[in-house]
Coordinates of all heavy atoms in Angstrom, one line a residue:
Chain A
D1056 N 22.8 -5.7 14.4 CA 22.7 -4.9 13.1 C 21.3 -5.2 12.5 O 21.1 -4.8 11.3 CB 23.8 -5.4 12.1 CG 24.1 -4.3 11.1 OD1 23.9 -3.1 11.4 OD2 24.6 -4.6 10.0
S1060 N 18.4 -13.4 12.1 CA 18.2 -14.8 11.6 C 19.6 -15.3 11.1 O 19.8 -16.5 11.1 CB 17.2 -14.9 10.5 OG 15.9 -14.6 11.0
Q1061 N 20.5 -14.4 10.8 CA 21.8 -14.8 10.3 C 22.8 -14.5 11.4 O 23.9 -14.0 11.2 CB 22.2 -13.9 9.0 CG 21.0 -13.8 8.0 CD 20.7 -15.1 7.3 OE1 21.6 -16.0 7.1 NE2 19.4 -15.4 7.0
R1125 N 1.6 -2.8 0.9 CA 0.9 -1.6 1.3 C -0.6 -1.7 1.1 O -1.1 -2.5 0.3 CB 1.4 -0.4 0.5 CG 2.9 -0.1 0.8 CD 3.4 1.1 -0.1 NE 3.3 0.7 -1.5 CZ 3.2 1.6 -2.5 NH1 3.1 2.9 -2.3 NH2 3.1 1.2 -3.8
F1209 N 9.4 -19.6 -8.8 CA 10.2 -18.4 -8.8 C 10.0 -17.6 -10.1 O 9.8 -16.4 -10.1 CB 11.6 -18.8 -8.5 CG 12.6 -17.6 -8.5 CD1 12.7 -16.9 -7.3 CD2 13.4 -17.2 -9.6 CE1 13.6 -15.8 -7.3 CE2 14.2 -16.2 -9.5 CZ 14.4 -15.4 -8.4
P1218 N 6.8 -3.8 -13.2 CA 8.0 -3.0 -13.0 C 8.0 -2.3 -11.7 O 7.0 -1.7 -11.3 CB 8.0 -2.0 -14.2 CG 7.1 -2.7 -15.2 CD 6.1 -3.5 -14.4
V1227 N 12.8 -22.9 0.0 CA 14.1 -23.4 0.0 C 14.4 -24.1 -1.3 O 13.7 -25.0 -1.7 CB 14.3 -24.4 1.2 CG1 15.7 -24.9 1.3 CG2 13.7 -23.9 2.5
Y1228 N 15.3 -23.5 -2.1 CA 15.6 -24.0 -3.4 C 16.6 -25.1 -3.5 O 17.5 -25.2 -2.7 CB 16.0 -22.8 -4.3 CG 15.0 -21.7 -4.4 CD1 15.1 -20.7 -3.5 CD2 14.0 -21.8 -5.3 CE1 14.1 -19.7 -3.5 CE2 13.0 -20.8 -5.3 CZ 13.1 -19.7 -4.4 OH 12.1 -18.8 -4.5
S1229 N 16.4 -26.0 -4.5 CA 17.4 -26.9 -4.8 C 17.5 -26.9 -6.3 O 16.7 -26.3 -7.0 CB 17.1 -28.3 -4.3 OG 15.8 -28.7 -4.7
G1230 N 18.6 -27.5 -6.8 CA 18.7 -27.4 -8.3 C 19.2 -26.0 -8.6 O 19.9 -25.4 -7.8
L1232 N 18.6 -21.9 -10.1 CA 17.7 -20.8 -10.0 C 18.1 -19.7 -11.0 O 19.1 -19.1 -10.8 CB 17.6 -20.2 -8.5 CG 16.5 -19.3 -8.2 CD1 15.1 -19.9 -8.5 CD2 16.5 -19.0 -6.7
M1234 N 17.0 -16.4 -13.7 CA 16.1 -15.3 -13.9 C 16.0 -15.0 -15.4 O 17.0 -14.7 -16.0 CB 16.6 -14.1 -13.2 CG 16.7 -14.3 -11.7 SD 16.8 -12.8 -10.8 CE 18.5 -12.4 -10.9
L1236 N 15.6 -13.0 -18.5 CA 15.9 -11.6 -18.6 C 14.7 -10.7 -19.1 O 14.6 -9.6 -18.7 CB 17.1 -11.4 -19.6 CG 18.4 -11.9 -19.0 CD1 19.5 -11.6 -20.1 CD2 18.7 -11.2 -17.7
A1241 N 15.8 -7.0 -18.5 CA 17.2 -7.1 -18.7 C 18.0 -6.3 -17.6 O 19.1 -6.0 -17.7 CB 17.6 -6.5 -20.0
G1242 N 17.3 -6.2 -16.4 CA 18.0 -5.5 -15.3 C 17.6 -4.1 -15.1 O 18.1 -3.4 -14.3
L1243 N 16.6 -3.6 -15.9 CA 16.2 -2.2 -15.9 C 14.8 -1.9 -15.4 O 14.3 -0.9 -15.6 CB 16.4 -1.6 -17.3 CG 17.8 -1.7 -17.8 CD1 17.9 -1.2 -19.2 CD2 18.8 -0.9 -16.9
G1244 N 14.2 -2.9 -14.7 CA 12.8 -2.8 -14.3 C 12.6 -2.3 -12.9 O 11.5 -2.4 -12.4
D1245 N 13.7 -1.9 -12.2 CA 13.5 -1.5 -10.8 C 12.9 -2.6 -9.9 O 12.1 -2.3 -9.0 CB 12.7 -0.2 -10.7 CG 13.5 1.0 -11.1 OD1 14.7 1.1 -10.9 OD2 12.9 1.9 -11.8
H1246 N 13.2 -3.8 -10.2 CA 12.6 -4.9 -9.4 C 13.4 -5.1 -8.1 O 14.6 -4.8 -8.0 CB 12.7 -6.2 -10.2 CG 11.8 -6.2 -11.4 ND1 12.3 -6.0 -12.7 CD2 10.5 -6.4 -11.5 CE1 11.2 -6.1 -13.5 NE2 10.1 -6.3 -12.9
H1247 N 12.7 -5.6 -7.1 CA 13.3 -6.0 -5.9 C 13.0 -7.5 -5.7 O 11.9 -8.0 -5.9 CB 12.6 -5.3 -4.7 CG 12.8 -3.8 -4.7 ND1 12.1 -3.1 -5.7 CD2 13.5 -3.0 -4.0 CE1 12.4 -1.8 -5.5 NE2 13.2 -1.7 -4.5
I1248 N 14.1 -8.2 -5.3 CA 14.0 -9.6 -4.9 C 14.5 -9.8 -3.5 O 15.7 -9.4 -3.2 CB 14.7 -10.5 -5.9 CG1 14.2 -10.3 -7.3 CG2 14.7 -12.0 -5.5 CD1 15.1 -11.0 -8.4
V1249 N 13.7 -10.4 -2.6 CA 14.2 -10.5 -1.2 C 13.9 -11.9 -0.7 O 12.8 -12.4 -1.0 CB 13.6 -9.4 -0.4 CG1 12.1 -9.4 -0.4 CG2 14.1 -9.4 1.1
T1250 N 14.8 -12.5 0.0 CA 14.6 -13.8 0.6 C 14.5 -13.6 2.1 O 15.1 -12.7 2.6 CB 15.7 -14.8 0.3 OG1 16.9 -14.4 0.9 CG2 16.0 -14.9 -1.2
T1251 N 13.7 -14.4 2.7 CA 13.5 -14.3 4.2 C 13.5 -15.6 4.9 O 12.9 -16.5 4.5 CB 12.0 -13.7 4.4 OG1 11.9 -12.4 3.7 CG2 11.8 -13.4 5.9
L1252 N 14.4 -15.6 5.9 CA 14.4 -16.8 6.8 C 13.5 -16.4 8.0 O 13.6 -15.3 8.5 CB 15.8 -17.1 7.2 CG 16.0 -18.2 8.3 CD1 15.4 -19.5 7.8 CD2 17.4 -18.4 8.7
Chain B
D889 N 3.1 6.7 -7.8 CA 3.4 5.7 -6.8 C 4.9 5.6 -6.5 O 5.3 4.6 -5.8 CB 2.9 4.3 -7.4 CG 2.6 3.3 -6.3 OD1 2.2 3.7 -5.2 OD2 2.7 2.1 -6.6
S893 N 10.7 5.9 -13.1 CA 11.4 5.3 -14.2 C 10.6 4.4 -15.0 O 10.9 4.1 -16.2 CB 12.7 4.7 -13.7 OG 13.6 5.6 -13.1
Q894 N 9.6 3.8 -14.4 CA 8.8 2.8 -15.1 C 7.5 3.5 -15.4 O 6.4 2.9 -15.3 CB 8.6 1.6 -14.2 CG 9.8 1.0 -13.5 CD 10.9 0.5 -14.5 OE1 10.5 -0.1 -15.5 NE2 12.1 0.6 -14.2
R958 N 24.9 2.5 4.4 CA 24.9 3.1 5.7 C 26.3 3.5 6.1 O 27.3 2.9 5.7 CB 24.3 2.2 6.8 CG 22.8 1.9 6.5 CD 22.2 1.0 7.6 NE 22.9 -0.3 7.5 CZ 23.0 -1.1 8.6 NH1 22.5 -0.8 9.7 NH2 23.7 -2.3 8.4
F1042 N 27.7 -10.5 -11.8 CA 26.5 -10.7 -11.0 C 26.7 -11.8 -10.0 O 26.5 -11.7 -8.7 CB 25.3 -11.1 -11.9 CG 24.0 -11.3 -11.1 CD1 23.2 -10.2 -10.7 CD2 23.6 -12.6 -10.8 CE1 22.0 -10.4 -10.0 CE2 22.4 -12.8 -10.1 CZ 21.6 -11.7 -9.7
P1051 N 25.4 -12.6 4.5 CA 24.0 -12.9 4.8 C 23.3 -11.6 5.2 O 23.8 -10.8 6.0 CB 24.0 -13.9 5.9 CG 25.3 -14.6 5.8 CD 26.3 -13.5 5.3
V1060 N 23.0 -3.9 -17.7 CA 22.0 -4.4 -18.6 C 22.5 -5.7 -19.1 O 23.6 -5.9 -19.7 CB 22.0 -3.4 -19.8 CG1 20.8 -3.8 -20.8 CG2 21.8 -2.0 -19.4
Y1061 N 21.7 -6.7 -18.7 CA 22.2 -8.1 -19.0 C 21.7 -8.6 -20.3 O 20.7 -8.2 -20.8 CB 21.6 -9.0 -17.9 CG 22.1 -8.7 -16.5 CD1 21.4 -7.8 -15.7 CD2 23.3 -9.1 -16.0 CE1 21.8 -7.4 -14.5 CE2 23.8 -8.7 -14.8 CZ 23.0 -7.9 -14.0 OH 23.5 -7.5 -12.8
S1062 N 22.5 -9.5 -20.8 CA 22.1 -10.3 -22.0 C 22.5 -11.7 -21.7 O 23.2 -12.0 -20.7 CB 22.7 -9.8 -23.3 OG 24.1 -9.7 -23.1
G1063 N 22.0 -12.6 -22.5 CA 22.3 -14.0 -22.2 C 21.4 -14.4 -21.0 O 20.3 -14.0 -20.8
L1065 N 20.9 -15.3 -16.7 CA 21.3 -14.8 -15.4 C 20.9 -15.8 -14.4 O 19.7 -16.0 -14.2 CB 20.6 -13.4 -15.2 CG 21.2 -12.6 -14.0 CD1 22.7 -12.4 -14.1 CD2 20.5 -11.2 -14.0
S1066 N 21.8 -16.4 -13.8 CA 21.4 -17.5 -12.8 C 22.1 -17.2 -11.5 O 23.1 -16.5 -11.4 CB 21.8 -18.9 -13.3 OG 23.2 -19.0 -13.4
M1067 N 21.4 -17.7 -10.4 CA 21.9 -17.5 -9.1 C 22.4 -18.8 -8.5 O 21.6 -19.7 -8.3 CB 20.7 -17.0 -8.2 CG 20.3 -15.6 -8.8 SD 19.3 -14.7 -7.5 CE 17.7 -15.4 -7.8
L1069 N 22.9 -21.4 -5.9 CA 22.2 -21.6 -4.6 C 23.0 -21.5 -3.4 O 22.6 -21.0 -2.4 CB 21.4 -22.9 -4.7 CG 20.2 -22.9 -5.7 CD1 19.5 -24.2 -5.6 CD2 19.3 -21.8 -5.4
A1074 N 20.5 -21.1 -0.4 CA 19.3 -21.8 -0.9 C 18.0 -21.0 -0.7 O 17.0 -21.6 -0.7 CB 19.2 -23.2 -0.2
G1075 N 18.2 -19.7 -0.5 CA 17.0 -18.9 -0.4 C 16.8 -18.5 1.1 O 15.7 -17.8 1.4
L1076 N 17.7 -18.8 2.0 CA 17.5 -18.6 3.4 C 18.4 -17.5 4.0 O 18.6 -17.5 5.2 CB 17.6 -19.9 4.1 CG 16.5 -20.9 3.7 CD1 16.7 -22.2 4.4 CD2 15.1 -20.4 3.9
G1077 N 19.1 -16.8 3.2 CA 20.1 -15.8 3.7 C 19.7 -14.4 3.9 O 20.5 -13.5 4.1
D1078 N 18.4 -14.2 3.8 CA 17.9 -12.8 3.9 C 18.6 -11.8 3.0 O 18.9 -10.7 3.4 CB 18.0 -12.3 5.4 CG 17.1 -13.0 6.4 OD1 15.9 -13.2 6.0 OD2 17.4 -13.3 7.5
H1079 N 18.8 -12.3 1.8 CA 19.5 -11.4 0.8 C 18.5 -10.5 0.1 O 17.3 -10.8 0.0 CB 20.2 -12.2 -0.3 CG 21.4 -13.0 0.3 ND1 21.3 -14.3 0.6 CD2 22.6 -12.6 0.6 CE1 22.5 -14.8 1.0 NE2 23.3 -13.7 1.0
H1080 N 19.0 -9.3 -0.3 CA 18.2 -8.4 -1.1 C 18.9 -8.3 -2.5 O 20.1 -8.0 -2.5 CB 18.1 -7.0 -0.5 CG 17.5 -7.1 0.9 ND1 18.1 -7.6 2.0 CD2 16.3 -6.6 1.3 CE1 17.3 -7.5 3.0 NE2 16.2 -6.9 2.6
I1081 N 18.1 -8.3 -3.5 CA 18.7 -8.0 -4.9 C 17.8 -7.0 -5.5 O 16.5 -7.1 -5.5 CB 18.6 -9.3 -5.8 CG1 19.5 -10.4 -5.1 CG2 19.1 -9.0 -7.2 CD1 19.3 -11.7 -5.8
V1082 N 18.4 -5.9 -5.9 CA 17.5 -4.8 -6.4 C 18.2 -4.3 -7.7 O 19.4 -4.2 -7.8 CB 17.4 -3.7 -5.4 CG1 18.7 -3.1 -4.9 CG2 16.5 -2.5 -5.9
T1083 N 17.4 -4.0 -8.7 CA 17.9 -3.4 -10.0 C 17.4 -2.0 -10.0 O 16.3 -1.7 -9.5 CB 17.4 -4.2 -11.2 OG1 15.9 -4.0 -11.3 CG2 17.7 -5.7 -11.1
T1084 N 18.2 -1.2 -10.7 CA 17.8 0.3 -10.7 C 18.0 0.8 -12.1 O 19.1 0.7 -12.7 CB 18.8 1.1 -9.8 OG1 18.6 0.5 -8.4 CG2 18.4 2.5 -9.7
L1085 N 17.0 1.4 -12.6 CA 17.1 2.2 -13.9 C 17.3 3.7 -13.5 O 16.7 4.2 -12.6 CB 15.9 2.0 -14.7 CG 15.8 2.9 -16.0 CD1 16.9 2.5 -17.0 CD2 14.5 2.7 -16.7

Side-chain angles (χ1 to χ4, degrees):
Chain A
D1056 206 26
S1060 294
Q1061 314 294 327
R1125 294 179 296 154
F1209 180 82
V1227 186
Y1228 299 93
S1229 52
L1232 193 53
M1234 297 198 276
L1236 289 181
L1243 300 176
D1245 288 323
H1246 291 103
H1247 300 69
I1248 301 172
V1249 58
T1250 68
T1251 303
L1252 176 60
Chain B
D889 206 27
S893 295
Q894 315 294 327
R958 295 178 297 154
F1042 180 82
V1060 186
Y1061 299 92
S1062 52
L1065 192 53
S1066 67
M1067 297 199 277
L1069 289 181
L1076 299 177
D1078 288 324
H1079 292 101
H1080 300 70
I1081 301 172
V1082 57
T1083 68
T1084 303
L1085 175 61

